[in-house]
Amino acid sequence: MRTAVVVGAGLGGLAVAGALARSGWQVTVLERADRVRPEPTAVVLWPNGVRALHALGLGAGLDAIATALPDGGVRRPDGHWLVQPRPTPADRMPVVVHREDLHDALIAGLGDRVELRTGVAVDTVRARSGERPAVGAGRHLVEADLVVAADGTDSAVRRQLAPEAAVVSSGSASWRAVIPWYRAPRLPADQPLGGEVLGAGYRFVAASLGERGSSGASRRGGIYWVATAAGAPRPEPAETQLALLKRWYAGWPAPVGELLDATEPDDLVQQEVRELRPLPRAYGFPAGPGGVVLLGDAAHAMPPHLGQGACLAFEDAATLSSLLRESRLPDAVQAYDRLRRPRAATVVRQTRRMSAVLQARGRLALRARDAALGTINPRLLSSAAASAAQWRPPTHTP
């Protein structure tokens, strides 16, 4: 029986662990935290991420918890429409999912071939020719045929195998929250959710997690919003951060103010927006009978402006799972590297371009941005969004 060690029990790590287990692998998942607990926020999945989850055998579970995200257009802080809402073809429409619901679906898909160990801080990796791949936590070494590094932006595995990839700040911070339905304001029909408002270095996006009153045992409902602001994360308590958000976004068009007023400090999740510059030189490192691969943010952490972080992680998992079913293990590691590096580089490049657009400041820069946005559909703000809708899991070894 082939064995794998997955470092990290985030969305990508759980997805690949379950996929390998369903293919007959014995999998050990090592998680640094003492508990595997997702953030109480949500995630937007574009069609590529949805297809990847279907390829991983998780489509039925996703359909039960996902809500379609219609095009809500793009506005300025004064309410002026930069891009009017337009119908979105079904094959290009993203969905929004509560992270806790998605986490539950991934946990349910692990099966009995997965051993989950928490409180294990991996600090070393072995990827040498002639020896089985392994990771170490203190004096304890765990060997396997394959090691999957899904341990996030600050990946300890990546730091040793690809030290050239540095974690840097993108120059902004984000705040996310889910307002449960029992506290969510009732919004008029002309106050769209799913759209975004762009200011000078500021952005606000909101989406509905299902219909009010429709949440059941398998779905957590409410209104999800994300606010992004140029600058460093705030060190103040959550109460002060919420007060700052209300001041920064005062006067913005509805429903921005209504949603901030309905938010409680405990709802807030603040995060510094960080990325890898440059990207790792490789995503696959052959070793012994198998090798080590980088997956998700460990491989291609990027700003969230195109909503592709989780989608690419699921693409990684689906690609690796497909290759391992069809190829010898060392060949699959090399094929994974050949397939994923160009794909990730393209999406990261387009995301960085979008970051520059969204963080435009100054009168001339804002005029140029507004003129550009007014000529295109917000679902096609970059070629990355278009290519994302066309991605398909590999069906044969390249």
Side-chain angles (χ1 to χ4, degrees), residues 170 273 275 303-305 350-360:
S170 297
V273 179
E275 59 185 299
H305 304 310
Q350 297 296 342
T351 299
R352 289 173 180 168
R353 291 176 182 172
M354 186 52 54
S355 296
V357 171
L358 297 177
Q359 296 179 22

Side-chain angles (χ1 to χ4, degrees), residues 152-155 158-159 162-173 231-233 271-280 297-305 348 351-352 355 359:
T153 304
D154 295 311
S155 169
R158 186 200 62 243
R159 284 200 301 268
E164 72 281 356
V167 181
V168 301
S169 172
S170 297
S172 61
Q271 184 177 33
E272 181 181 17
V273 179
R274 300 183 299 159
E275 59 185 299
L276 293 180
R277 282 182 181 262
L279 293 176
D297 284 346
H300 39 65
M302 69 188 82
H305 304 310
V348 168
T351 299
R352 289 173 180 168
S355 296
Q359 296 179 22

Side-chain angles (χ1 to χ4, degrees), residues 5 49 60 69 73 86 145 157 167 174 182 201 212 229 234 236 243 249-250 304 330 344 357:
V5 171
L69 184 60
R86 304 176 188 178
D145 299 315
V157 176
V167 181
S174 70
Y182 69 87
R212 184 184 294 271
R234 304 297 302 198
E236 298 90 348
Y249 293 93
V357 171

Side-chain angles (χ1 to χ4, degrees), residues 76 82 198 356-358 360-376:
R76 292 193 315 216
L82 295 172
L198 298 180
V357 171
L358 297 177
R361 307 183 79 172
R363 183 177 301 175
L364 293 179
L366 288 172
R367 285 181 178 176
R369 181 203 68 187
D370 294 353
L373 288 176
T375 64
I376 53 179

Side-chain angles (χ1 to χ4, degrees), residues 189-247:
D190 60 350
Q191 294 183 3
L193 289 173
E196 57 188 282
V197 188
L198 298 180
Y202 294 84
R203 183 189 191 200
F204 194 96
V205 184
S208 172
L209 292 165
E211 298 293 331
R212 184 184 294 271
S214 65
S215 299
S218 63
R219 174 183 290 194
R220 295 166 175 86
I223 297 178
Y224 171 56
W225 62 258
V226 182
T228 307
R234 304 297 302 198
E236 298 90 348
E239 294 83 356
T240 305
Q241 294 178 30
L242 184 55
L244 286 171
L245 289 171
K246 291 179 180 179
R247 187 176 74 191

Side-chain angles (χ1 to χ4, degrees), residues 280-303:
R281 60 182 171 82
Y283 287 167
F285 303 85
V292 181
V293 298
L294 304 180
L295 183 145
D297 284 346
H300 39 65
M302 69 188 82

Side-chain angles (χ1 to χ4, degrees), residues 321-342:
S321 177
S322 175
L323 292 171
L324 289 171
R325 287 195 301 268
E326 301 164 2
S327 310
R328 294 177 58 252
L329 183 49
D331 296 336
V333 171
Q334 294 177 331
Y336 175 83
D337 179 63
R338 290 197 303 270
L339 283 175
R340 296 313 298 163
R341 272 194 301 124

